Amino acid sequence: MPEALAERGRFGDRLAAAIAARTGLCFGIDPHPALLAGWDLADDADGVRDFGLRAVEGAAGRVGIVKPQVALFERHGAAGLTALAEVLAAARAAELIVIADTKRGDIGSTMDGYSAAWVDADAPFASDAVTLSPYLGFGSLAGAIGRAGEAGAGVFVLAATSNPEARDAQTATVRAGQHRGRTVAAANVAEAAALARGAVERGSLGDVGVVIGATVRLLDYGIAPADLAGVPVLAPGFGAQGARLGDVRSIFGAAAPQVLASSSRELLAGPLAELGERLDAATRELGR
């Protein structure tokens, strides 16, 4: 067993434990300019660093999972990425599950490079999991998935996203191979579910999850809740985008217990001094 995996344990097991302890609320750390202004912070690298560190401080002991939006740090160049590395390290030191929202996707050595940056145990942006795009083919992610597993990390693969531009591609029908007749979204779910079978037998979650927007209808994308057995579901769209935390079960049915209900602007907007109260209220709503 690789040393990193032996030290950290499997991502799916850690994630299942975090959900059991703190619910599946996923706190999105998104330093949008308006949110920075609301906390009296400058829209620069120092501002996003302070924003991220304060968000981590508010989350510690209240939620189990955070999801920094990489692009909103990266827009400040090298200094912004340095700030992001500090925020990621602080979140992991606070024993939070850290999902870096990178949406990377490529092939071969380029994908290996992304993996070395984000999921290796000693990576400069070491995270518990990253988001990946499968639209060069799910198989193009095999190296990243394998490398993440060896490091005790996980990945979340885009499946059914809520932006309208993606619908045609994600609901297109697969014409050949083992997933023939399924939608592209359902095929990606099936690949993740196949990788989760061993974890399901252990009563845990897989290391490969999928991203499904909370505002989409699963059946419109050819997905049934039963298809998601053992698959962690990262579900953005709660709060400002319209979905309600109290509706997780009605949206995802039997898969609700493994859903990471992601909310950012709804939690970040408002006085910093009241962030803890907003997080506690969101946790209560999700737990009902």
Side-chain angles (χ1 to χ4, degrees):
M1 179 182 295
E3 183 178 355
L5 178 56
E7 291 176 355
R8 298 170 70 181
R10 297 190 180 278
F11 170 71
D13 295 342
R14 299 201 313 277
L15 182 62
I19 293 172
R22 301 278 183 194
T23 78
L25 181 65
C26 178
F27 177 27
I29 301 178
D30 296 7
H32 289 281
L35 296 173
L36 289 164
W39 287 9
D40 295 322
L41 295 171
D43 187 9
D44 58 19
D46 289 337
V48 297
R49 176 189 294 105
D50 289 347
F51 183 95
L53 293 175
R54 292 179 190 185
V56 166
E57 183 178 359
R62 286 189 164 90
V63 302
I65 307 153
V66 295
K67 181 176 69 66
Q69 173 47 257
V70 169
L72 295 177
F73 291 85
E74 188 174 338
R75 67 194 179 93
H76 292 293
L81 289 174
T82 297
L84 173 63
E86 292 184 32
V87 172
L88 295 173
R92 294 184 65 196
E95 300 185 343
L96 296 164
I97 296 284
V98 181
I99 302 172
D101 199 353
T102 61
K103 296 183 178 72
R104 300 295 196 255
D106 215 307
I107 61 174
S109 60
T110 306
M111 200 67 233
D112 290 342
Y114 285 140
S115 302
W118 294 98
V119 300
D120 285 2
D122 58 352
F125 303 106
S127 304
D128 293 286
V130 294
T131 56
L132 299 178
S133 172
Y135 293 103
L136 292 177
F138 195 97
S140 69
L141 305 179
I145 290 171
R147 190 162 183 160
E150 291 174 359
V155 305
F156 286 87
V157 178
L158 301 181
T161 59
S162 57
N163 60 306
E165 301 89 348
R167 181 168 178 142
D168 285 349
Q170 293 170 354
T171 60
T173 300
V174 178
R175 295 185 178 181
Q178 62 176 325
H179 301 305
R180 182 178 180 180
R182 286 176 163 157
T183 65
V184 170
N188 288 332
V189 167
E191 292 282 358
L195 293 170
R197 285 174 189 152
V200 171
E201 292 172 358
R202 301 195 313 273
S204 190
L205 295 175
D207 299 328
V208 179
V210 293
V211 179
I212 298 177
T215 57
V216 307
R217 293 182 70 253
L218 293 182
L219 292 179
D220 288 348
Y221 289 75
I223 301 168
D227 298 336
L228 294 162
V231 179
V233 178
L234 177 59
F238 289 93
Q241 294 182 47
R244 301 194 316 171
L245 291 168
D247 293 337
V248 168
R249 186 162 294 280
S250 65
I251 297 169
F252 290 98
Q258 69 238 35
V259 170
L260 311 185
S262 182
S263 181
S264 55
R265 282 175 287 175
E266 187 87 351
L267 299 173
L268 294 164
L272 173 60
E274 298 173 6
L275 174 60
E277 295 175 21
R278 294 193 295 274
L279 289 168
D280 288 342
T283 299
R284 289 193 297 272
E285 182 180 358
L286 184 60
R288 285 202 291 265

